[in-house]
Amino acid sequence: MLREHPEISGFENNKVKEEWLAPEDEGQFLQTVYPPAVFFGGPGKFAFAPEAHMTEESALLTPENKILLPQQWFPFWDLTKRYLLEKSPPNLIWMRFLQAVFPNHFVRGH
């Protein structure tokens, strides 16, 4: 797995294990800025829901949310690592949105 590389931190080491609610360590479940894929039909189906396609033009891309999303994800990453990994499958259609939230970072799909 990518997050096993010494320079990569992925959502794996929750500080409070008994409060871990995110299936498969996915960031889509560790934030309140946008709805998870299940809201748009679930695995696979989300890609066919036009309202699930978030870009840099999304109404959710507010100045407040551009601050909130990193604040919600940073506690789950080791920020001393060179690369920070977020592997939610819906990121494939959320790339432009995420690039707008993290403008000085490299956002790439898997």
Side-chain angles (χ1 to χ4, degrees):
M1 280 196 161
L2 285 174
R3 72 177 174 211
E4 293 173 6
H5 189 280
E7 294 188 41
I8 296 176
S9 175
F11 298 138
E12 177 182 26
N13 297 311
N14 188 350
K15 308 263 190 283
V16 184
K17 291 287 188 187
E18 59 273 8
E19 293 182 12
W20 190 250
L21 302 174
E24 303 298 319
D25 301 327
E26 293 178 7
Q28 67 174 322
F29 301 110
L30 298 173
Q31 53 78 41
T32 59
V33 170
Y34 56 86
V38 69
F39 184 81
F40 303 108
K45 295 178 183 175
F46 67 84
F48 298 102
E51 63 276 15
H53 290 256
M54 294 185 294
T55 70
E56 66 279 359
E57 302 296 323
S58 173
L60 295 174
L61 195 61
T62 64
E64 295 80 17
N65 282 343
K66 287 176 78 172
I67 294 169
L68 182 60
L69 185 57
Q71 285 177 338
Q72 291 179 333
W73 281 354
F74 284 172
F76 297 98
W77 276 320
D78 178 348
L79 299 177
T80 66
K81 302 287 184 168
R82 183 173 181 186
Y83 301 103
L84 305 176
L85 176 68
E86 200 299 282
K87 65 170 193 69
S88 298
N91 288 351
L92 292 171
I93 62 170
W94 297 340
M95 289 293 174
R96 290 169 54 189
F97 175 85
L98 293 171
Q99 188 67 68
V101 174
F102 298 95
N104 298 317
H105 297 82
F106 181 65
V107 176
R108 181 180 174 136
H110 52 291

